[in-house]
């Protein structure tokens, strides 16, 4: 295996604040400390244990600890399949679970990186907004900062669907193209997703669609607030999320460390939907970027250690009187 680390895969269920069982999983290097912690934020209608497995394995073999969670209504987690009642709940679930891992004593000195794909890119950016100083880096693969015009309903239809979603939120009424056909270039990947019962294949439910439009529109208006180091990746031929907004994100974000990679001829599914030779290019870029960030002194870790040291220095000294 050369320099590749062996990895072990583990999974378990946790219970969120609303009493729902959520599926979580992790891919960890065997017999070595992970170089950094990477937290997967999967895409809409997708899940972690199957569709993100190849991504996690690549990163695990490169020496990183990788953690994933299926959102409510996705994959093996509880909830009506394909239904997101509140994106805020998704963010809270991810934040609670991911930070509980980061706060373990053995992980205190590890770099914390979010990896968001498509809708998961929006999740990653909202996690950063929720705790701006907490996350050290983000990798954003075709992030949902704006839904592409090709699949977005017209404004009149959006207004109608928004009103109806308050009455019948779970109904599958949103007219869209078959996302699988236009997202993943490799026919065998499309077949695998269609055959995977953990992936939702129906039309978007009304409330879910409303939440996706709401969140992507909000993110698009606040790109300048993003301040963490990030790598944004986008296929030039993406017809699901808008590459021009990824370009705008790179231009206006306040981050001092920001990189963009645009891939000619590639589609939306950069992490597992492209031919093998294209995936090699994408993951070479991702892993190189991660290794470079790990080599540099991590500002957050240094800050935390300094605060810890300062707190220890400020502890009151109790002098015992001699008799």
């Amino acid at each position: 295996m050369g320099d590749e680390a062996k990895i072990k895969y583990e999974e378990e269920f946790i219970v969120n604040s609303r009493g729902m069982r959520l599926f979580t999983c992790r891919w960890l290097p065997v017999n070595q400390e992970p170089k950094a912690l990477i937290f997967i934020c999967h895409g809409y209608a997708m899940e972690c244990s199957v569709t993100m497995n190849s991504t996690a394995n690549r990163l695990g073999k490169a020496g990183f600890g990788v953690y994933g969670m299926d959102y409510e209504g996705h994959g093996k987690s509880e909830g009506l399949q394909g239904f997101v009642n509140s994106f805020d709940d998704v963010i809270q679930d991810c934040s609670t679970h991911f930070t509980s891992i980061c706060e373990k004593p053995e992980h205190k000195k590890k770099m914390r990186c979010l990896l968001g794909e498509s809708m998961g890119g929006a999740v990653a950016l909202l996690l950063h907004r929720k705790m701006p100083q907490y996350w050290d880096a983000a990798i954003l693969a075709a992030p949902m900062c704006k839904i592409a015009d090709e699949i977005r309903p017209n404004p009149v239809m959006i207004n109608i669907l928004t009103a109806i979603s308050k009455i019948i939120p779970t109904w599958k009424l949103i007219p869209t193209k078959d996302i699988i056909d236009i997202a993943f270039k490799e026919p065998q990947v499309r077949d695998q997703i269609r055959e995977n019962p953990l992936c939702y294949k129906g039309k978007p439910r009304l409330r879910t669609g409303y939440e996706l439009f709401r969140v992507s529109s909000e993110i698009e208006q606040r790109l300048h607030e993003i301040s963490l180091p990030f790598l944004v990746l986008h296929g030039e031929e993406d017809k699901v999320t808008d590459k021009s907004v990824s370009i705008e994100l790179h231009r206006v974000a306040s981050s001092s460390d920001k990189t963009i990679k645009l891939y000619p001829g590639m589609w939306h599914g950069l992490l597992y939907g492209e031919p093998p030779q294209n995936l090699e290019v994408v993951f070479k870029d991702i892993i190189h970027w991660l290794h470079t960030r790990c080599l540099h002194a991590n500002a957050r870790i240094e800050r935390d250690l300094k605060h810890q040291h300062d707190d220890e220095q400020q502890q009151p000294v109790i002098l015992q009187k001699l008799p």
Side-chain angles (χ1 to χ4, degrees), residues 3-21:
D3 294 332
E4 289 187 349
K6 292 183 178 179
I7 60 173
K8 62 179 177 180
Y9 172 76
E10 301 172 335
E11 55 186 47
E12 66 179 332
F13 283 87
I14 62 171
V15 178
N16 68 11
S17 60
R18 300 179 304 287
M20 305 181 77
R21 294 177 77 244

Side-chain angles (χ1 to χ4, degrees), residues 278-289:
N278 289 355
L279 295 178
E280 288 301 319
V281 171
V282 172
F283 279 96
K284 182 179 179 181
D285 288 341
I286 290 173
I287 291 169
H288 173 74
W289 189 85

Side-chain angles (χ1 to χ4, degrees), residues 26 28 33-34 36-40 65-67 94-115 127 131 133-137 298 300-301 304 308:
R26 51 190 173 269
L28 304 174
E33 280 289 308
L37 308 179
I38 301 177
F39 297 90
I40 289 177
V66 185
Y67 297 81
C94 290
S95 182
T96 299
H97 178 57
F98 292 166
T99 58
S100 72
I101 294 165
C102 295
E103 293 304 320
K104 291 182 178 180
E106 65 269 28
H107 293 159
K108 286 283 192 176
K109 297 182 181 180
K110 296 283 192 301
M111 185 176 82
R112 310 160 179 166
C113 181
L114 299 164
L115 170 58
L127 285 169
M131 302 174 72
Q133 302 301 318
Y134 193 83
W135 300 102
D136 299 316
N298 186 288
R300 193 268 312 163
I301 294 172
D304 287 356
Q308 181 180 338

Side-chain angles (χ1 to χ4, degrees), residues 32-246:
Q32 73 174 67
E33 280 289 308
K35 299 172 184 176
L37 308 179
I38 301 177
F39 297 90
I40 289 177
C41 305
H42 66 73
Y44 164 70
M46 297 291 114
E47 47 77 53
C48 283
S49 61
V50 179
T51 54
M52 298 301 290
N53 184 58
S54 61
T55 296
N57 269 287
R58 285 175 182 267
L59 296 173
K61 288 176 180 177
F64 300 100
V66 185
Y67 297 81
M69 184 181 77
D70 291 349
Y71 315 136
E72 170 188 342
H74 286 73
K76 299 176 186 175
S77 290
E78 284 189 344
L80 180 63
Q81 193 177 42
F83 180 58
V84 175
N85 185 57
S86 167
F87 221 81
D88 296 340
D89 288 344
V90 171
I91 301 306
Q92 185 59 56
D93 290 342
C94 290
S95 182
T96 299
H97 178 57
F98 292 166
T99 58
S100 72
I101 294 165
C102 295
E103 293 304 320
K104 291 182 178 180
E106 65 269 28
H107 293 159
K108 286 283 192 176
K109 297 182 181 180
K110 296 283 192 301
M111 185 176 82
R112 310 160 179 166
C113 181
L114 299 164
L115 170 58
E117 179 219 21
S118 192
M119 185 186 85
V123 173
L125 291 176
L126 291 171
L127 285 169
H128 163 55
R129 184 188 299 168
K130 182 178 177 66
M131 302 174 72
Q133 302 301 318
Y134 193 83
W135 300 102
D136 299 316
I139 298 165
L140 308 167
M144 190 193 74
C145 300
K146 179 184 177 182
I147 297 169
D149 291 335
E150 288 91 336
I151 65 169
R152 183 187 181 97
N154 64 59
V156 174
M157 181 63 71
I158 289 175
N159 289 335
I160 294 171
L161 294 174
T162 298
I164 300 174
S165 73
K166 298 173 183 177
I167 305 167
I168 44 175
T170 65
W171 277 29
K172 310 174 190 177
L173 288 179
I174 297 181
T176 61
K177 296 180 181 179
D178 187 327
I179 300 295
I180 295 173
D181 273 345
I182 61 176
F184 306 103
K185 184 184 290 185
E186 284 288 272
Q188 65 185 43
V189 173
R190 294 180 220 158
D191 292 342
Q192 289 167 2
I193 292 172
R194 287 198 171 95
E195 293 166 5
N196 183 353
L198 300 175
C199 295
Y200 176 69
K201 266 81 71 176
K203 289 182 179 179
R205 299 181 189 276
L206 286 174
R207 183 69 185 185
T208 305
Y210 167 78
E211 285 292 292
L212 295 182
F213 291 132
R214 176 183 72 81
V215 167
S216 59
S217 298
E218 182 183 328
I219 290 173
E220 185 182 3
Q221 298 301 316
R222 301 175 65 176
L223 296 176
H224 61 282
E225 296 180 8
I226 296 160
S227 59
L228 84 172
F230 68 83
L231 168 65
V232 61
L233 316 163
H234 222 116
E236 293 270 16
E237 301 302 319
D238 191 335
K239 291 181 170 57
V240 179
T241 57
D242 196 327
K243 72 178 179 185
S244 68
V245 185
S246 284

